[in-house]
Amino acid sequence: MTTFFVFILTISIVVGIHEFGHFQMARWCNVKVLKFSIGFGKPLFTFRFGKDRTEFAISSIPLGGYVKLLDENNIETSEKVNKIDLKRAFNRQPLIKRFLIVAAGPLINIILGILIFSFIFMHGSKQIKPSISELPVSSEAYQSGLRAGDEIASLDGSEIKSLEDLLASIKDHKEVFQDVGLKRNGEITHIKNLLWTDEIKVFPYGLPILIQSVEAGSIAEKIGLRTHDQMLMVDQIPIKDIPDLIASVQKNWSQSYTLTIKRENIIQYIHIDKELFESKVDKKRIGIALGYDDVIIKTHLVEVKRTFEESIKKSLVQTYAFFNLTLKTFKNLLTQKTDFKDLGGPIAIAHMASSSFVEGIFPYIQFIGLISLNIGILNLLPIPLLDGGYLLFYLIEFVRRKPLSNKKMMISQRVGMLILGLLTGIALYNDACRYLLGS
């Protein structure tokens, strides 16, 4: 029951914000709003408000919402429209106003996501310290004064607060760092002219790698891998961190090899036959979620708070990365590099919402930000019936200097309905298999 109520609350917030974007932009553009509904179907609760006596409703099917604008193309025969109001009809508005009204919904979702992430960054969270795990004595970095156990405090004057900051700073950086600030035994020291190389291993390199979950029907399940198994070697080559393990698995793809694991303090060898890869040649994943020993990780956590400027910047970077990930996911779905089984529907959202809610208020707020961002980006996809589809029509209208014909609009909307229907059906089927049938 908690899962259901948390799901309703989450969808109401995210959809409410989305529809409010359409609603408020329509009001700013002086377009008459007839109805604002959270949910579809029969209204459970309604009231009228404002100079236009807009009907606000909470409806029986809590899987979306809509804003109904005065539009001559959608006027029902039973409706009597005041001729004075016709100039406020949506279809009579200039292209720029129609574009803004449609774009406002997904944009306010994206803005909400950015603001929530900024708030979380400013509030602070536990993150992994930017410390050195291993360093060969023969390396140039060691000769320069760097030691295992050192915590990186700054790079060329830029403060490093977490492992995430460190990895972002050294990524694709091939120049010498002129000044490296280190925290050692509680004191700050500095190293000059340090070239960061692959020999410098940062935490959690070297920690035990544990399987956190195994996907149903995956290669991992077929060969007998289990949750809490510790990954030791791939084809007799020791594994030191998760990226190393992923690279080894992909390198040996479509080949027979042996995994060495530790299960309940007993070393075991698991053989993977190349025939198992035949149906998943493009995926290059065996279906396991990986992590490190939480007990050890907790001893290397630090509370990280960001300034307002840092928070906004990191939120924008995160939003951009999430946008690219969404586009890549859809591209991979079309090219079958991503399995349709990975799609989740309302039940998946409900379970994730409930889990974050149980963890606490801040994880739940962060989840709302993530879902809001997701809804915003998905609605900008150029699929007919989505906001992005209408925006594409308006761009075509701008280029052609005239709108598409009603026939072309109808055909495209049917195609959009087919695409969305298929994706929704697949997501619901996956939900049923995961959460109802347990497969």
Side-chain angles (χ1 to χ4, degrees):
M1 189 60 70
T2 301
T3 299
F4 175 76
F5 283 115
V6 173
F7 171 72
I8 297 299
L9 176 63
T10 304
I11 293 299
S12 297
I13 293 172
V14 175
V15 171
I17 288 293
H18 180 94
E19 299 306 334
F20 177 77
H22 293 309
F23 168 78
Q24 188 58 48
M25 184 58 71
R27 292 184 62 191
W28 285 340
C29 293
N30 196 32
V31 173
K32 187 171 184 178
V33 182
L34 302 178
K35 189 173 183 178
F36 182 120
S37 176
I38 302 297
F40 299 105
K42 184 178 180 181
L44 302 176
F45 173 76
T46 63
F47 69 94
R48 294 185 178 273
F49 182 76
K51 66 177 184 179
D52 289 331
R53 305 305 295 165
T54 300
E55 181 184 0
F56 292 84
I58 297 177
S59 301
S60 56
I61 305 175
L63 295 178
Y66 63 93
V67 168
K68 184 178 181 181
L69 305 176
L70 178 62
D71 190 327
E72 291 174 283
N73 296 323
N74 296 323
I75 294 176
E76 298 176 6
T77 55
S78 59
E79 289 183 319
K80 295 182 179 180
V81 180
N82 190 324
K83 291 184 178 180
I84 298 177
D85 286 336
L86 284 179
K87 65 180 181 180
R88 299 176 61 198
F90 178 76
N91 62 290
R92 293 197 179 192
Q93 304 307 308
L95 181 60
I96 183 63
K97 284 189 176 183
R98 285 180 280 140
F99 189 94
L100 289 174
I101 291 170
V102 173
L107 288 180
I108 198 172
N109 276 130
I110 293 173
I111 291 171
L112 175 64
I114 292 172
L115 292 177
I116 286 178
F117 290 144
S118 298
F119 169 75
I120 295 297
F121 288 137
M122 291 177 65
H123 174 267
S125 61
K126 295 287 186 181
Q127 296 191 34
I128 297 175
K129 295 178 182 179
S131 57
I132 307 301
S133 287
E134 292 184 14
L135 185 65
V137 177
S138 60
S139 66
E140 291 185 14
Y142 188 92
Q143 303 303 321
S144 298
L146 190 64
R147 297 290 184 269
D150 285 347
E151 185 179 332
I152 306 299
S154 64
L155 291 173
D156 286 346
S158 298
E159 186 178 9
I160 303 297
K161 297 181 178 181
S162 66
L163 175 63
E164 181 184 354
D165 291 348
L166 175 60
L167 295 178
S169 297
I170 64 176
K171 182 182 179 182
D172 300 326
H173 187 94
K174 298 180 180 179
E175 303 294 328
V176 172
F177 287 108
Q178 302 298 322
D179 181 84
V180 178
L182 306 174
K183 186 182 293 185
R184 182 185 297 165
N185 299 323
E187 296 182 358
I188 298 294
T189 185
H190 290 266
I191 294 178
K192 302 297 182 181
N193 302 322
L194 175 68
L195 179 63
W196 198 283
T197 66
D198 292 338
E199 291 182 306
I200 306 173
K201 304 299 184 182
V202 298
F203 187 86
Y205 184 87
L207 287 190
I209 304 169
L210 305 177
I211 296 179
Q212 295 182 331
S213 64
V214 178
E215 293 180 15
S218 65
I219 292 175
E221 184 184 57
K222 292 176 181 177
I223 63 176
L225 289 177
R226 303 177 189 172
T227 303
H228 306 308
D229 284 349
Q230 180 182 339
M231 309 297 289
L232 299 177
M233 292 188 288
V234 174
D235 220 18
Q236 301 303 310
I237 300 175
I239 301 299
K240 291 290 189 176
D241 62 4
I242 291 176
D244 193 13
L245 174 58
I246 293 173
S248 295
V249 169
Q250 294 182 345
K251 179 182 178 182
N252 289 281
W253 201 255
S254 296
Q255 300 177 27
S256 298
Y257 63 92
T258 300
L259 286 175
T260 305
I261 68 167
K262 182 189 287 187
R263 179 181 297 163
E264 298 177 353
N265 292 321
I266 299 174
I267 303 296
Q268 298 188 26
Y269 302 94
I270 297 180
H271 181 71
I272 302 182
D273 193 280
K274 62 181 181 181
E275 293 181 359
L276 289 171
F277 298 106
E278 290 181 357
S279 62
K280 298 178 180 289
V281 173
D282 297 326
K283 312 266 187 320
K284 291 194 175 181
R285 51 195 297 270
I286 62 174
I288 52 177
L290 299 166
Y292 297 103
D293 191 325
D294 285 342
V295 176
I296 302 176
I297 290 291
K298 287 178 181 179
T299 63
H300 286 75
L301 295 180
V302 62
E303 184 77 17
V304 176
K305 292 185 179 182
R306 309 284 180 181
T307 64
F308 177 77
E309 184 179 351
E310 288 175 334
S311 299
I312 292 294
K313 184 178 179 180
K314 284 188 70 66
S315 295
L316 291 173
V317 170
Q318 189 166 326
T319 299
Y320 178 74
F322 193 78
F323 182 78
N324 284 335
L325 177 62
T326 302
L327 294 182
K328 183 179 179 180
T329 299
F330 268 85
K331 178 183 176 181
N332 289 342
L333 282 173
L334 293 175
T335 57
Q336 295 186 340
K337 290 183 179 179
T338 296
D339 203 320
F340 278 97
K341 291 182 179 180
D342 294 334
L343 289 178
I347 300 179
I349 295 174
H351 277 264
M352 288 186 286
S354 180
S355 297
S356 65
F357 186 81
V358 170
E359 289 180 28
I361 184 64
F362 289 106
Y364 179 63
I365 291 174
Q366 189 170 11
F367 178 77
I368 289 178
L370 185 63
I371 290 297
S372 183
L373 191 59
N374 201 330
I375 293 293
I377 293 173
L378 288 177
N379 267 279
L380 286 177
L381 293 176
I383 299 176
L385 293 184
L386 293 181
D387 293 330
Y390 288 106
L391 295 178
L392 177 61
F393 293 154
Y394 296 151
L395 289 175
I396 293 173
E397 180 179 341
F398 175 77
V399 173
R400 297 175 73 238
R401 302 298 181 186
K402 63 179 181 178
L404 291 173
S405 65
N406 289 335
K407 182 179 180 180
K408 291 180 179 178
M409 290 281 287
M410 288 294 294
I411 293 173
S412 63
Q413 288 179 351
R414 287 174 182 172
V415 172
M417 187 178 298
L418 176 63
I419 294 172
L420 295 177
L422 286 172
L423 291 175
T424 302
I426 292 170
L428 290 173
Y429 174 78
N430 290 341
D431 279 357
C433 291
R434 286 194 195 103
Y435 300 104
L436 302 180
L437 303 178
S439 61

